[in-house]
Amino acid sequence: MTEDTQHVIDFADVRRQDVGLVGGKNASLGEMIGALKPQGISVPPGFATTSDAFRAYLAANGLNERIAHELESLAAGTSSLQEAGERIRKLVLGGAWPEDIAEAIKTAYRNLCEAAGESDVPVAVRSSATAEDLPDASFAGQQETFLNVIGEAALLKACKRCYASLYTDRAISYRNIQGFAHDQVALSVGVQQMVRADTGGSGVMFSIDTESGFPDAVLINAAWGLGENVVQGAVDPDEYQVFKPFLDNRDLSPILEKRCGAKKIKMIHDRDGTPRNVPTSKEERERFVLDDDEILSLARQAKVIEAHYGQPMDMEWARDGVTGKLYIVQARPETVQSRADMGTLKSYAVKDPGPEILRGLSVGSAAVAGRVSIIENAADIARFVDGSVLVTSTTDPDWVPIMKRAAAIVTDHGGRTSHAAIVSRELGLPAIVGCGNATHVLHDEQDVTVSCAGGEEGVVTAGISKIEVSEEALDTLPDTKTKVMLNLANPSAALRWWRLPVEGVGLARMEFVINGAVRIHPMALAHIERVTDADARAEIKHLTAGYESLPEYFVDRLSRGLSRIAAFCYPKPVIVRMSDFKTNEYADLLGGRDFEPHEENPMLGFRGASRYYSDAYRDGFTLECQAIARLRDKMGFDNVVVMIPFCRTPEEADKVLAVMAEHGLTRGENGLEVYVMCEIPANVLRAAEFAKRFDGFSIGSNDLTQLTLGVDRDSDTLASLFREDDPAVLRMIEMVIDEAHKAGTKVGFCGQAPSNNPAYARYLVEFGIDTISVTPDSFVQVLRNVERAEAGKEDVP
Ligand code: PEP
Ligand code: MG
């Protein structure tokens, strides 16, 4: 050892390239403290012991040879992993601190206490291995962490235990599998002033959407107390998502998602300082851990950190319960999406799924069918049947060997940033986490299908279903003159389409978002006193708990649901159509029965424009308008275009536009465009008059075919007569395209016809349509057919 060997280094003096000296974790902490403080990133202060100190410790205690000997006997098969591991750990723990190293640690600790103005400041003591957290080796948490360590003696003991944790059974086997030489890996201990998250909160944050790789959304998970529960997945945390591009504008609040997690437990400190889990209060369970300002502040920090490192990042954060201040306590590169193959888009579809058994948060977008293998605790992992669906309460690094051999993973607890979720994502397995009671409801050897293909919620269904997988190469897609857009209905799955070269969203049916994200009739929220059904009232009370008012629930849920659709292709246009339920469908919403008349022909009844200015629905429409205004003005999604469905006359159009203007949606103001559906023959026959009132038409072939041919679109008996390529229907379409263009108005197409039959796109191209909007599964085929039609070539069969 030379005179100037450094045993301890202050985080402020560490830089990211110091991985060999202090390990990846500590190097990135130092980097943040040194380089990002001026940009508003708060990292608790601390110091790290160096790899030199670790090597000196081994040498001074003569441990190198003895450890090598134990590893040799493991390799030779004369001792088991458990035996060799235990003996090595004992050797390391039994060593004595060389005086100079102990002194260096104690001095650094005293300096930390002095700076904090406390005599024995509590610290978090974390292991940072010099080969951990490399992009290819991110099986997080291989080594130990000790929280709330107080005083010099306890600190030295914790450091020794960190050293020993370089030789846990799983760390040894992990290095064997990864091919890391044991003596090439050293251990640095990070000592960081504790954030009082025991009385505050903490969690995990990613600078991208972990499921789709969408680069413009930050994902934050949050729970009460210390962060270990979120990392391990022992708790079902809150989940928030924020749209990054708008974060620099302090007037906007671009929070795409706020989901309140169950948060049944929290980790606090015992009187002697030992961390311990306790149940949360009802109030804590029902309340969000972070308020909007805190969510935005953390997301801004994620953006700064990502920009600094020049790559997507995975971070841990904590909020001090005493000062309320937010800190970043860890940061490392995100490893899954950043390595994913961006050239292709794989989609899964489950054919004829069986009855639903369970649901939870989906990880990834894959689906798989298989047999259940329930493992309740790590001691039983030998019982796991290879290739089966692993069902468990939660996982930790001990579970990785069987997770690698699983077809899918289903857990009772945990959020999208839990250990189970992170490892599943790395392994490319579908996983459903936080199901609540998977280990109770499912049984061993049960045949199930696990699907994450439907968006944010994953579903386990009974039986082995067929799964169709399609893979599209994205780099060979043509650029066409007639642009192709998407029809989207599911906000939770919207982000996954970000890599498709879409021109925007041609139709987002608001009623679908109301059904999924709101579930309550807007009139029932505006006039709860008129809801007579006691069960519905109780359910409404339950769903709206925590919201400042019932109308606020509607506006909040709807604007956030729509925001995900508006975000994935921003700034391309997203056409949101105001609600177009039929009376029977409105009546099926919670509390809906008291507000809807019975109609013999709902398809021809009180729907679309006629509702919006009527006394019977006006207050409901007000809430729809408020949600759109919030989405555009407060959240920032000025790419949202409003569309009016089923507008029978130009006079109706005038009334609706006037009501919208009363609620801050004036056509032409703040760039607001308003479209009208062309789906009634009257829209075609009076196209010139409609064109004066709107910025564009969107042709709905479903209703237009029904009303041109007089064929009920839902009738099985008449299905063969329901033809969108009937000459009468095609004539209608051609007429309205001509009229619209004569008036200088845009005209697109959003009916189902080209989605069902991509060859239909040829008619539209030949008539000179401006845009065609289709469901995501048919996007690529339609795009290719548009290209061929534009080039005057035959369709690809
Ligand atoms: C249509 O009528 O073609 C249309 C797109 O609207 P919906 O199917 O929602 O009635
Ligand atoms: Mg329609």
Side-chain angles (χ1 to χ4, degrees), residues 478-494:
D479 187 21
T480 55
K481 188 167 135 293
T482 314
K483 297 295 180 197
V484 183
M485 304 174 88
L486 287 187
N487 288 353
L488 286 188
N490 181 356
S492 74

Side-chain angles (χ1 to χ4, degrees), residues 487 507 509 511-512 577 580 582 603 607 646 677-679 699-704 713 750-752:
N487 288 353
L507 176 64
R509 292 174 167 102
E511 62 273 16
F512 279 82
R577 192 180 71 181
D580 188 26
K582 324 296 176 284
M603 198 79 89
R607 65 179 281 207
F646 227 79
M677 289 288 295
C678 173
E679 55 183 347
I699 301 171
S701 55
N702 313 338
D703 279 310
L704 191 59
R713 61 192 261 189
C750 67
Q752 191 58 28

Side-chain angles (χ1 to χ4, degrees), residues 687-692 697 737-746:
E689 291 166 86
F690 282 104
K692 282 196 196 119
F697 290 97
I737 294 174
D738 285 348
E739 284 296 326
H741 283 165
K742 250 190 255 162
T745 306
K746 291 172 276 191

Side-chain angles (χ1 to χ4, degrees), residues 402-416:
I402 60 169
M403 295 171 86
K404 283 184 174 163
R405 308 197 307 261
I409 294 168
V410 178
T411 71
D412 290 344
H413 301 298
R416 246 184 270 278

Side-chain angles (χ1 to χ4, degrees), residues 305-324:
I305 293 169
E306 181 187 65
H308 178 75
Y309 285 91
Q311 66 190 107
M313 296 294 286
D314 164 352
M315 293 146 282
E316 286 174 37
W317 61 270
R319 181 182 60 201
D320 192 303
V322 181
T323 62

Side-chain angles (χ1 to χ4, degrees), residues 42 48 225 349 406 432 456 475 478 496 727 735 768 788:
S42 304
I432 307 184
E456 282 192 319
D475 40 7
R496 79 169 52 152
M735 274 166 69
R788 298 192 70 83

